[in-house]
Amino acid sequence: MNPTPFTPWESLAGGALIGASAVLLLLVTGRIAGISGIVRRLLPPYGTSAPVEAAVFIGGLFASPFLWTFATGEPVRQTVTDSLSLAIVAGLLVGAGVFAARGCTSGHGVCGLARLSRRSIAATAIFMATAAATVYGVRHILGGWPWA
């Protein structure tokens, strides 16, 4: 198994861009940058609540890899999995977590922590602990992803 490389400058730049976009969205629309809530505003019956701003924000998320490639000439390298079944199970688990936490990692972890929301602090602690336990278990107990 190849270890994930440590990329401090890229990570810092990405975090700064995420923070800047969250602040900009709050200043312009008065809404927090919780991606699950933004997507929900595009769908019925909530589609009447700021659909243009939501569509522009989601469009920016989709456009960003293309803008990166255009600006740097380098393709975006993101390896998640080649296994469709693993991706489906992971997506369903993330969806269940978003539903249980009443929000996603961006809403709780970026915006909620910045507002010192107790609910967001609890949600972030739970999803970060779950992520750490999952990575540790897969790498050190299972010896890697057996189905990948």
Side-chain angles (χ1 to χ4, degrees), residues 30-115:
R31 297 181 181 271
I32 65 166
I35 305 306
S36 61
I38 291 171
V39 169
R40 189 179 76 194
R41 287 197 296 274
L42 290 173
L43 305 173
Y46 307 103
T48 59
S49 175
V52 174
E53 292 90 351
V56 169
F57 193 88
I58 298 299
L61 292 176
F62 280 106
S64 60
F66 301 106
L67 293 172
W68 170 264
T69 301
F70 177 76
T72 65
E74 294 285 324
V76 173
R77 291 182 294 275
Q78 176 74 32
T79 304
V80 179
T81 182
D82 292 331
S83 169
L84 179 61
S85 59
L86 179 60
I88 290 170
V89 170
L92 291 172
L93 288 171
V94 168
V98 166
F99 181 78
R102 303 292 191 261
C104 59
T105 55
S106 56
H108 285 303
V110 176
C111 300
L113 289 181
R115 293 181 1 255

Side-chain angles (χ1 to χ4, degrees), residues 19 22-23 26 32 106-118 120-121 124:
V23 169
L26 185 62
I32 65 166
S106 56
H108 285 303
V110 176
C111 300
L113 289 181
R115 293 181 1 255
L116 300 176
S117 162
R118 287 184 291 179
S120 292
I121 292 168
T124 304

